[in-house]
Amino acid sequence: MTMIRSPLPARLSAFLAVGEALNFRKAAERLGIAQPALSRSIRDLERQLGFALFERSTRRVALTPAGEVLYRDGREAMQRLMLAQTRAERVAQGLSGTVSVGYSTFAATGPMSDIIIAFRKRYPQAQVGLRLLASSEQAQAFDEGALDLGFMMANVAAPPLRTSPISRERLVALVPASHGWAKSRTISLRTLSTAPFVIGTAQRWRGFRALINGLTAARGLSLTVAEEADDVPVLLQLVRSGFGCTILDGSFIPALPPGITPLEIEDVDATLDISLAWRADNLSPLAARFIELADAFMAARRDAPRRRSRPVRK
């Protein structure tokens, strides 16, 4: 097989400059090089290609038929090459590209969406590929190199993952509005453990169930699981229908459907913490910018109450 050696970009650029000006002196001035150097570059290109590109005389310079084809197609190719270079530079600088982000059900009710919106506004040429994955599924996806970032439960994010805190929500009990407990504002975990319990499946809710099991085991309690569900809407419907009670974090309270009453768990001060996680050994420039923006966003969010509470100077 005969290999075709492509012209070097520098020689092609020189050819296009002469082809546009049809004047070696003007093309050399435009390129900022000496005219003899430009002439040598064109001769080297013609030698490399094996055919003439210009018809030269003492009065004029004109493109040969082959030169006209190379000029027309080469100009288009050079434009595509410059565009590809610009795009590659923006990706290398973390200004464009795609970042793959996992998120758990518990993360979806927090500030995650606000962070993503702020990121898209800051970097309009970047894309965020969202994947709904349980925290344990995200951990596996990181090991497989399938995720850049993940909004996940902090108790699941173990090394080599690095994390940055995103939200902390107090755990609350959810009981059917028709239950006698719904008339109270608080309930103890011991009392709650005497009722049938509905909770997420052990496979997809592994991190959350580990959190709840840790709370009950520390008090010598155990839960009687009556029903399981993979997603929150089904779980809430089970509670609403009287199949049992459950525990979720407080961020779900504003979106609770009618028929469910939230109660403070008086003897539990544990929280459900969400972190932004990543692997430092597989971090793209764009993902690094996402982390930087998320940290700044959360810092401003934490500082906002302090700014509002400052007295107004008269």
Coordinates of all heavy atoms in Angstrom, one line a residue, residues 310-314:
R310 N -26.9 40.6 59.6 CA -26.1 41.8 60.1 C -27.0 43.0 60.2 O -27.8 43.3 59.4 CB -25.0 42.1 59.0 CG -23.9 41.0 59.0 CD -23.0 41.3 57.8 NE -22.0 40.2 57.7 CZ -21.2 40.0 56.7 NH1 -21.2 40.9 55.7 NH2 -20.3 39.1 56.6
P311 N -26.7 43.8 61.3 CA -27.5 45.0 61.5 C -27.3 46.0 60.4 O -26.2 46.2 59.9 CB -27.1 45.5 62.9 CG -25.7 44.9 63.1 CD -25.7 43.6 62.4
V312 N -28.3 46.8 60.1 CA -28.2 47.8 59.1 C -27.6 49.1 59.7 O -28.1 49.6 60.8 CB -29.6 48.1 58.5 CG1 -29.4 49.3 57.5 CG2 -30.1 46.9 57.8
R313 N -26.5 49.6 59.1 CA -25.9 50.8 59.7 C -26.7 52.0 59.3 O -27.1 52.2 58.1 CB -24.5 50.9 59.2 CG -23.6 49.8 59.7 CD -22.1 50.0 59.2 NE -21.2 49.0 59.7 CZ -20.0 49.0 59.4 NH1 -19.4 49.9 58.6 NH2 -19.2 48.0 59.9
K314 N -26.9 52.9 60.2 CA -27.7 54.1 59.9 C -26.7 55.3 59.8 O -25.7 55.3 60.4 CB -28.7 54.4 61.0 CG -29.7 53.3 61.2 CD -30.7 53.7 62.2 CE -31.8 52.6 62.4 NZ -32.8 53.0 63.4

